[in-house]
Coordinates of all heavy atoms in Angstrom, one line a residue:
E1 N -11.3 47.4 50.3 CA -11.8 47.1 49.0 C -10.7 46.7 48.0 O -10.8 45.8 47.2 CB -12.6 48.2 48.3 CG -13.9 48.5 49.1 CD -14.9 47.3 48.9 OE1 -15.0 46.7 47.9 OE2 -15.5 47.0 49.9
L2 N -9.5 47.3 48.1 CA -8.4 47.0 47.2 C -7.9 45.6 47.5 O -7.7 44.8 46.6 CB -7.3 48.0 47.4 CG -7.6 49.4 47.0 CD1 -6.5 50.3 47.4 CD2 -7.9 49.5 45.6
V3 N -7.7 45.2 48.8 CA -7.3 43.9 49.1 C -8.4 42.8 48.7 O -8.0 41.8 48.2 CB -7.0 43.8 50.6 CG1 -6.7 42.4 51.0 CG2 -5.8 44.7 51.0
H4 N -9.6 43.2 48.9 CA -10.7 42.3 48.5 C -10.7 42.0 47.0 O -11.0 40.9 46.6 CB -12.1 42.9 49.0 CG -13.2 42.0 48.7 ND1 -13.4 40.8 49.4 CD2 -14.2 42.1 47.8 CE1 -14.5 40.3 48.9 NE2 -15.0 41.0 47.9
A5 N -10.2 43.0 46.2 CA -10.1 42.9 44.8 C -8.9 42.1 44.4 O -8.7 41.9 43.2 CB -10.1 44.2 44.1
G6 N -8.1 41.6 45.4 CA -6.9 40.8 45.1 C -5.6 41.6 44.8 O -4.6 41.1 44.4
L7 N -5.7 42.9 45.1 CA -4.5 43.7 45.0 C -3.6 43.7 46.2 O -4.1 43.6 47.4 CB -4.9 45.2 44.7 CG -5.7 45.4 43.4 CD1 -6.2 46.8 43.3 CD2 -4.9 45.0 42.2
R8 N -2.3 43.8 46.0 CA -1.4 43.9 47.2 C -1.3 45.3 47.7 O -0.8 46.2 46.9 CB 0.0 43.4 46.7 CG 1.0 43.1 47.9 CD 2.2 42.5 47.4 NE 2.3 42.8 45.9 CZ 3.3 43.4 45.3 NH1 4.3 43.7 45.9 NH2 3.3 43.7 44.1
V9 N -1.6 45.6 48.9 CA -1.6 46.9 49.5 C -0.7 46.9 50.7 O -0.9 46.1 51.5 CB -3.0 47.3 49.8 CG1 -3.1 48.7 50.5 CG2 -4.0 47.3 48.6
V10 N 0.1 47.9 50.8 CA 1.0 48.1 51.9 C 0.6 49.4 52.5 O 0.6 50.4 51.9 CB 2.5 48.1 51.6 CG1 3.4 48.4 52.8 CG2 2.9 46.8 50.9
R11 N 0.2 49.4 53.8 CA -0.1 50.6 54.6 C 1.2 51.2 55.2 O 2.0 50.4 55.7 CB -1.1 50.3 55.7 CG -2.5 50.0 55.1 CD -3.4 49.8 56.2 NE -4.7 49.4 55.7 CZ -5.8 49.0 56.4 NH1 -5.7 49.0 57.7 NH2 -6.9 48.7 55.8
D12 N 1.3 52.5 55.3 CA 2.5 53.1 55.8 C 3.8 52.6 55.3 O 4.7 52.2 56.0 CB 2.4 53.0 57.4 CG 1.2 53.7 58.0 OD1 0.8 54.7 57.5 OD2 0.7 53.1 59.0
A13 N 3.8 52.6 53.9 CA 4.9 52.0 53.2 C 6.1 53.0 53.3 O 6.0 54.2 52.9 CB 4.6 51.8 51.8
S14 N 7.3 52.5 53.8 CA 8.5 53.4 53.9 C 9.3 53.3 52.7 O 9.5 52.2 52.1 CB 9.3 53.0 55.1 OG 8.6 53.2 56.3
C15 N 9.7 54.4 52.2 CA 10.6 54.5 51.0 C 11.8 55.4 51.4 O 11.7 56.4 51.9 CB 9.9 55.2 49.8 SG 8.3 54.4 49.4
S16 N 13.0 54.9 51.1 CA 14.2 55.6 51.4 C 14.4 56.8 50.4 O 14.2 56.6 49.1 CB 15.4 54.7 51.3 OG 15.4 53.7 52.2
V17 N 14.7 57.9 50.9 CA 15.1 59.0 50.0 C 16.5 59.1 49.9 O 17.3 59.1 50.9 CB 14.5 60.4 50.7 CG1 14.9 61.6 49.9 CG2 13.0 60.3 50.9
Q18 N 17.0 59.1 48.6 CA 18.5 59.1 48.4 C 18.9 60.4 47.7 O 18.2 60.9 46.9 CB 18.8 57.9 47.6 CG 18.6 56.6 48.3 CD 19.1 55.4 47.5 OE1 20.0 55.5 46.7 NE2 18.6 54.2 48.0
Y19 N 20.1 60.7 48.0 CA 20.8 61.9 47.3 C 22.2 61.4 47.0 O 22.9 61.1 47.9 CB 20.7 63.1 48.1 CG 21.4 64.4 47.5 CD1 20.8 64.9 46.4 CD2 22.7 64.7 47.9 CE1 21.5 66.0 45.8 CE2 23.3 65.8 47.3 CZ 22.7 66.5 46.2 OH 23.3 67.5 45.6
R20 N 22.5 61.4 45.7 CA 23.9 61.0 45.3 C 24.2 59.6 45.9 O 25.4 59.4 46.3 CB 24.9 62.0 45.6 CG 24.7 63.3 44.9 CD 25.8 64.3 45.0 NE 25.6 65.5 44.3 CZ 26.4 66.4 44.0 NH1 27.7 66.2 44.4 NH2 26.1 67.4 43.3
G21 N 23.3 58.7 45.9 CA 23.6 57.4 46.3 C 23.5 57.1 47.8 O 23.7 56.0 48.3
Q22 N 23.3 58.2 48.6 CA 23.3 58.1 50.1 C 21.8 58.3 50.6 O 21.1 59.2 50.1 CB 24.1 59.2 50.8 CG 25.6 59.2 50.4 CD 26.2 57.9 51.0 OE1 26.0 57.6 52.1 NE2 27.2 57.3 50.3
V23 N 21.4 57.5 51.4 CA 20.1 57.7 52.1 C 20.1 58.8 53.0 O 21.0 59.0 53.9 CB 19.7 56.4 52.9 CG1 18.4 56.6 53.6 CG2 19.6 55.1 52.0
V24 N 19.2 59.8 52.7 CA 19.1 61.0 53.5 C 17.8 61.2 54.2 O 17.6 62.2 54.9 CB 19.4 62.3 52.6 CG1 20.8 62.2 52.0 CG2 18.4 62.3 51.5
G25 N 17.0 60.3 54.1 CA 15.7 60.3 54.8 C 14.7 59.2 54.4 O 15.1 58.3 53.7
T26 N 13.5 59.3 54.9 CA 12.5 58.3 54.6 C 11.2 59.0 54.3 O 10.9 60.0 55.0 CB 12.3 57.4 55.8 OG1 13.5 56.8 56.1 CG2 11.3 56.3 55.6
F27 N 10.5 58.6 53.3 CA 9.1 59.0 53.0 C 8.2 57.9 53.3 O 8.5 56.7 53.0 CB 9.0 59.4 51.5 CG 7.6 59.8 51.1 CD1 7.3 61.2 51.3 CD2 6.7 58.9 50.7 CE1 6.0 61.6 51.0 CE2 5.4 59.3 50.3 CZ 5.1 60.7 50.5
V28 N 7.1 58.2 54.0 CA 6.1 57.2 54.4 C 4.8 57.5 53.6 O 4.2 58.5 53.8 CB 5.9 57.2 55.9 CG1 4.8 56.1 56.2 CG2 7.1 56.9 56.7
A29 N 4.5 56.6 52.8 CA 3.2 56.6 52.0 C 2.1 56.0 52.7 O 2.3 55.0 53.4 CB 3.4 56.0 50.6
D30 N 0.9 56.7 52.7 CA -0.2 56.1 53.3 C -0.5 54.7 52.8 O -0.8 53.8 53.6 CB -1.4 57.0 53.2 CG -1.3 58.3 54.0 OD1 -0.6 58.3 55.1 OD2 -1.8 59.4 53.6
L31 N -0.6 54.6 51.5 CA -0.8 53.3 50.8 C 0.1 53.2 49.6 O 0.3 54.2 48.9 CB -2.3 53.2 50.3 CG -3.4 53.2 51.3 CD1 -4.7 53.3 50.7 CD2 -3.3 52.0 52.3
L32 N 0.6 52.0 49.4 CA 1.3 51.7 48.2 C 0.7 50.4 47.6 O 0.6 49.3 48.2 CB 2.8 51.4 48.5 CG 3.7 51.1 47.3 CD1 3.7 52.3 46.4 CD2 5.1 50.8 47.8
V33 N 0.1 50.6 46.4 CA -0.7 49.5 45.8 C 0.1 48.9 44.7 O 0.5 49.6 43.7 CB -2.0 50.1 45.3 CG1 -2.9 49.0 44.7 CG2 -2.8 50.8 46.4
E34 N 0.3 47.6 44.8 CA 1.0 46.8 43.8 C 2.4 47.4 43.4 O 2.9 47.2 42.3 CB 0.2 46.7 42.5 CG -1.1 45.9 42.7 CD -0.8 44.3 42.8 OE1 0.1 43.8 42.1 OE2 -1.5 43.7 43.7
D35 N 3.0 48.1 44.3 CA 4.3 48.8 44.0 C 4.2 49.8 42.9 O 5.3 50.1 42.2 CB 5.4 47.8 43.9 CG 5.7 47.1 45.2 OD1 5.7 47.6 46.2 OD2 6.1 45.9 45.1
R36 N 3.0 50.1 42.5 CA 2.8 50.9 41.3 C 2.1 52.2 41.5 O 2.2 53.2 40.8 CB 2.1 50.1 40.2 CG 2.9 48.8 39.7 CD 2.1 48.1 38.8 NE 2.0 48.9 37.5 CZ 1.3 48.5 36.5 NH1 0.6 47.4 36.6 NH2 1.2 49.2 35.4
V37 N 1.3 52.3 42.5 CA 0.4 53.5 42.8 C 0.7 53.8 44.2 O 0.4 53.0 45.2 CB -1.0 53.2 42.5 CG1 -1.9 54.5 42.9 CG2 -1.3 52.9 41.1
L38 N 1.0 55.1 44.5 CA 1.2 55.7 45.8 C 0.0 56.5 46.2 O -0.4 57.4 45.3 CB 2.4 56.5 45.8 CG 2.8 57.2 47.1 CD1 4.4 57.2 47.2 CD2 2.3 58.5 47.3
A39 N -0.7 56.3 47.3 CA -1.8 57.1 47.6 C -1.6 57.7 49.0 O -1.1 57.1 49.9 CB -3.1 56.1 47.7
Q40 N -1.9 59.0 49.0 CA -1.8 59.9 50.2 C -3.2 60.3 50.6 O -4.0 60.6 49.7 CB -1.0 61.1 49.9 CG 0.5 60.8 49.8 CD 1.1 60.2 51.0 OE1 1.3 59.0 51.2 NE2 1.5 61.1 51.9
V41 N -3.6 60.2 51.8 CA -4.9 60.6 52.4 C -4.6 61.8 53.2 O -3.8 61.8 54.2 CB -5.5 59.5 53.2 CG1 -6.8 59.9 53.7 CG2 -5.7 58.3 52.3
V42 N -5.4 62.9 52.9 CA -5.3 64.1 53.7 C -6.7 64.6 54.2 O -7.7 64.1 53.6 CB -4.6 65.3 52.9 CG1 -3.2 64.9 52.5 CG2 -5.4 65.7 51.7
A43 N -6.7 65.4 55.2 CA -8.0 66.0 55.7 C -7.8 67.5 55.8 O -7.2 67.9 56.8 CB -8.4 65.4 57.0
S44 N -8.0 68.2 54.8 CA -7.7 69.6 54.7 C -8.9 70.3 54.0 O -9.6 69.7 53.3 CB -6.5 69.9 53.9 OG -6.2 71.2 53.7
P45 N -9.2 71.6 54.3 CA -10.3 72.3 53.7 C -10.2 72.3 52.2 O -11.2 72.3 51.5 CB -10.2 73.7 54.3 CG -9.4 73.6 55.6 CD -8.6 72.4 55.4
E46 N -9.0 72.3 51.7 CA -8.8 72.2 50.3 C -7.5 71.5 49.9 O -6.6 71.4 50.7 CB -8.8 73.6 49.6 CG -7.7 74.5 50.1 CD -7.8 75.9 49.4 OE1 -8.9 76.3 49.1 OE2 -6.7 76.5 49.1
L47 N -7.5 70.9 48.8 CA -6.3 70.2 48.3 C -5.3 71.2 47.7 O -5.6 71.9 46.7 CB -6.7 69.2 47.2 CG -5.7 68.1 46.9 CD1 -5.3 67.3 48.1 CD2 -6.4 67.2 45.9
G48 N -4.2 71.4 48.4 CA -3.3 72.4 48.0 C -2.0 71.9 47.3 O -1.8 70.7 47.1
A49 N -1.2 72.9 46.8 CA 0.0 72.5 46.1 C 1.0 71.7 47.0 O 1.7 70.8 46.6 CB 0.7 73.8 45.6
D50 N 0.9 72.0 48.3 CA 1.9 71.3 49.2 C 1.6 69.8 49.3 O 2.4 69.0 49.4 CB 1.8 71.9 50.6 CG 0.4 72.0 51.2 OD1 -0.6 72.1 50.4 OD2 0.3 72.0 52.4
H51 N 0.3 69.5 49.2 CA -0.1 68.0 49.1 C 0.5 67.3 47.8 O 0.9 66.2 47.9 CB -1.6 67.8 49.2 CG -2.2 68.4 50.5 ND1 -3.1 69.5 50.5 CD2 -2.0 68.1 51.8 CE1 -3.4 69.8 51.7 NE2 -2.8 68.9 52.5
R52 N 0.4 68.1 46.7 CA 0.8 67.5 45.5 C 2.4 67.4 45.5 O 2.9 66.4 45.1 CB 0.4 68.4 44.3 CG -1.1 68.4 44.1 CD -1.5 69.3 43.0 NE -2.9 69.3 42.8 CZ -3.7 70.1 43.4 NH1 -3.3 71.0 44.3 NH2 -5.0 70.1 43.2
V53 N 3.1 68.4 46.0 CA 4.6 68.4 46.2 C 5.0 67.2 47.0 O 5.9 66.5 46.7 CB 5.1 69.7 46.7 CG1 6.6 69.6 47.0 CG2 4.9 70.8 45.6
E54 N 4.3 67.0 48.1 CA 4.6 65.9 49.0 C 4.5 64.5 48.3 O 5.4 63.6 48.4 CB 3.8 65.9 50.2 CG 4.1 64.7 51.2 CD 3.1 64.7 52.4 OE1 2.3 65.6 52.5 OE2 3.3 63.8 53.2
T55 N 3.4 64.4 47.5 CA 3.3 63.2 46.8 C 4.3 63.0 45.7 O 4.8 61.9 45.5 CB 1.8 63.2 46.2 OG1 0.9 63.4 47.2 CG2 1.5 61.9 45.4
L56 N 4.7 64.0 45.0 CA 5.7 64.0 44.1 C 7.1 63.5 44.7 O 7.8 62.7 44.1 CB 6.0 65.3 43.4 CG 5.1 65.8 42.3 CD1 5.3 67.2 41.9 CD2 5.3 64.9 41.0
R57 N 7.3 64.0 45.9 CA 8.6 63.5 46.6 C 8.4 62.0 46.9 O 9.4 61.3 46.8 CB 8.7 64.3 47.9 CG 9.2 65.7 47.7 CD 9.4 66.4 49.0 NE 9.7 67.8 48.7 CZ 9.2 68.8 49.4 NH1 8.5 68.6 50.4 NH2 9.6 70.0 49.1
G58 N 7.3 61.6 47.2 CA 7.1 60.1 47.5 C 7.2 59.4 46.2 O 7.8 58.2 46.3
L59 N 6.8 59.9 45.1 CA 6.9 59.1 43.8 C 8.4 58.9 43.5 O 8.8 57.9 43.1 CB 6.2 59.9 42.7 CG 4.7 60.0 42.8 CD1 4.2 60.8 41.6 CD2 4.1 58.6 42.7
A60 N 9.2 60.0 43.7 CA 10.6 59.9 43.4 C 11.3 59.0 44.4 O 12.1 58.2 44.0 CB 11.2 61.4 43.5
A61 N 10.9 59.0 45.6 CA 11.5 58.1 46.7 C 11.2 56.7 46.5 O 12.0 55.8 46.5 CB 11.1 58.6 48.1
G62 N 9.9 56.4 46.0 CA 9.5 55.0 45.9 C 9.7 54.5 44.5 O 9.4 53.3 44.2
D63 N 10.3 55.3 43.6 CA 10.3 54.9 42.1 C 9.1 54.4 41.6 O 9.0 53.4 41.0 CB 11.5 53.9 42.0 CG 11.9 53.7 40.5 OD1 11.7 54.7 39.7 OD2 12.3 52.6 40.1
V64 N 8.0 55.3 41.9 CA 6.6 55.0 41.5 C 6.2 56.0 40.5 O 6.6 57.2 40.6 CB 5.7 55.0 42.7 CG1 4.3 54.7 42.4 CG2 6.2 53.9 43.7
K65 N 5.4 55.7 39.5 CA 5.0 56.6 38.5 C 3.7 57.3 38.7 O 3.4 58.4 38.2 CB 4.9 55.8 37.2 CG 6.2 55.1 36.8 CD 7.3 56.1 36.3 CE 8.5 55.3 35.8 NZ 9.6 55.4 36.6
V66 N 2.7 56.7 39.5 CA 1.4 57.3 39.7 C 1.1 57.5 41.1 O 1.3 56.7 42.0 CB 0.3 56.3 39.1 CG1 -1.0 56.9 39.3 CG2 0.6 56.0 37.6
G67 N 0.7 58.8 41.5 CA 0.3 59.1 42.7 C -1.2 59.6 42.8 O -1.6 60.2 41.8
L68 N -1.8 59.3 43.9 CA -3.2 59.8 44.1 C -3.2 60.5 45.5 O -2.7 59.9 46.4 CB -4.2 58.6 44.0 CG -4.3 57.9 42.7 CD1 -5.2 56.6 42.9 CD2 -4.9 58.7 41.6
V69 N -3.9 61.6 45.5 CA -4.1 62.3 46.8 C -5.6 62.4 47.0 O -6.3 63.0 46.2 CB -3.4 63.7 46.8 CG1 -3.6 64.4 48.2 CG2 -2.0 63.7 46.4
F70 N -6.0 61.9 48.1 CA -7.5 62.0 48.4 C -7.7 62.9 49.6 O -7.0 62.8 50.6 CB -8.0 60.6 48.8 CG -7.9 59.6 47.7 CD1 -6.9 58.7 47.6 CD2 -8.9 59.5 46.8 CE1 -6.8 57.8 46.6 CE2 -8.9 58.6 45.7 CZ -7.8 57.7 45.7
N71 N -8.6 63.8 49.5 CA -8.8 64.8 50.5 C -10.2 64.6 51.1 O -11.2 64.7 50.5 CB -8.7 66.2 50.0 CG -8.9 67.2 51.1 OD1 -8.9 67.0 52.2 ND2 -9.2 68.5 50.7
F72 N -10.3 64.1 52.3 CA -11.5 63.9 53.0 C -11.9 65.0 53.9 O -12.9 65.0 54.7 CB -11.4 62.6 53.9 CG -11.3 61.4 53.0 CD1 -10.2 60.8 52.7 CD2 -12.5 60.8 52.6 CE1 -10.1 59.7 51.8 CE2 -12.5 59.6 51.8 CZ -11.2 59.1 51.4
G73 N -11.2 66.2 53.9 CA -11.4 67.3 54.8 C -12.4 68.3 54.3 O -12.9 69.2 55.1
A74 N -12.7 68.2 53.1 CA -13.7 69.2 52.5 C -15.1 68.6 52.6 O -15.3 67.5 52.8 CB -13.3 69.5 51.0
P75 N -16.1 69.4 52.3 CA -17.5 68.9 52.4 C -17.7 67.7 51.4 O -18.5 66.9 51.6 CB -18.4 70.2 52.0 CG -17.5 71.3 52.4 CD -16.1 70.9 52.2
E76 N -17.0 67.8 50.3 CA -17.1 66.7 49.3 C -15.7 66.2 49.1 O -14.7 66.9 49.1 CB -17.6 67.2 47.9 CG -19.1 67.6 48.0 CD -19.6 68.0 46.7 OE1 -18.9 67.7 45.6 OE2 -20.7 68.6 46.6
L77 N -15.6 64.8 48.9 CA -14.4 64.3 48.6 C -13.7 64.8 47.4 O -14.4 65.0 46.3 CB -14.5 62.7 48.4 CG -13.3 61.9 47.9 CD1 -12.2 61.9 48.9 CD2 -13.7 60.6 47.4
S78 N -12.4 65.1 47.4 CA -11.7 65.6 46.2 C -10.5 64.8 46.1 O -10.0 64.2 47.1 CB -11.4 67.1 46.3 OG -10.6 67.4 47.4
F79 N -9.9 64.7 44.9 CA -8.7 64.0 44.7 C -7.9 64.6 43.6 O -8.5 65.3 42.7 CB -9.0 62.4 44.4 CG -9.5 62.2 43.1 CD1 -8.8 61.8 42.1 CD2 -11.0 62.2 43.0 CE1 -9.3 61.5 40.8 CE2 -11.5 62.0 41.7 CZ -10.7 61.6 40.7
S80 N -6.6 64.2 43.5 CA -5.7 64.6 42.4 C -4.9 63.5 42.0 O -4.4 62.7 42.9 CB -4.9 65.8 42.9 OG -4.1 66.3 41.9
R81 N -4.7 63.3 40.7 CA -3.8 62.3 40.2 C -2.5 63.0 39.8 O -2.5 64.0 39.1 CB -4.4 61.6 39.0 CG -3.5 60.5 38.4 CD -4.2 59.7 37.3 NE -4.2 60.6 36.2 CZ -4.5 60.2 34.9 NH1 -4.7 58.9 34.8 NH2 -4.5 61.0 34.0
I82 N -1.4 62.4 40.2 CA -0.1 63.0 40.0 C 0.8 62.0 39.2 O 0.9 60.8 39.6 CB 0.6 63.4 41.3 CG1 -0.3 64.1 42.1 CG2 2.0 63.9 41.1 CD1 -0.2 65.1 42.9
L83 N 1.3 62.4 38.1 CA 2.1 61.6 37.3 C 3.6 62.0 37.2 O 3.8 63.1 37.3 CB 1.6 61.5 35.8 CG 0.1 61.1 35.7 CD1 -0.4 61.2 34.3 CD2 -0.1 59.6 36.1

């Protein structure tokens, strides 16, 4: 749907994690939309703090300001917006 709406979407987008100017790892985002929104998709009984922390790390690695975590593992879809 995002692509159909004309948005640029990258699946499994790799972002370098840097510490003091050195690349120390890689973060892989499920979706990166318009280089502005990072989306993570999880399947867990509940959306936990660990999912939010992982998304925060991705925001820092990708120099992105907005993150969304979607949980399809619960009886009802849940999500969290991370700024």
Side-chain angles (χ1 to χ4, degrees):
E1 289 297 319
L2 296 170
V3 173
H4 184 70
L7 298 172
R8 188 175 25 125
V9 178
V10 178
R11 292 181 183 176
D12 298 323
S14 293
C15 304
S16 296
V17 177
Q18 296 188 18
Y19 178 73
R20 295 188 181 196
Q22 298 291 322
V23 175
V24 294
T26 302
F27 178 86
V28 180
D30 292 329
L31 295 173
L32 185 59
V33 182
E34 292 289 320
D35 292 326
R36 297 178 66 188
V37 178
L38 182 146
Q40 290 294 98
V41 178
V42 299
S44 179
E46 62 183 33
L47 196 54
D50 55 333
H51 299 115
R52 292 179 184 89
V53 169
E54 179 182 358
T55 303
L56 278 171
R57 288 183 184 138
L59 293 177
D63 194 26
V64 178
K65 303 286 187 254
V66 179
L68 298 171
V69 183
F70 297 96
N71 183 16
F72 290 94
E76 293 185 12
L77 171 68
S78 62
F79 71 94
S80 182
R81 183 174 72 161
I82 310 213
L83 302 173

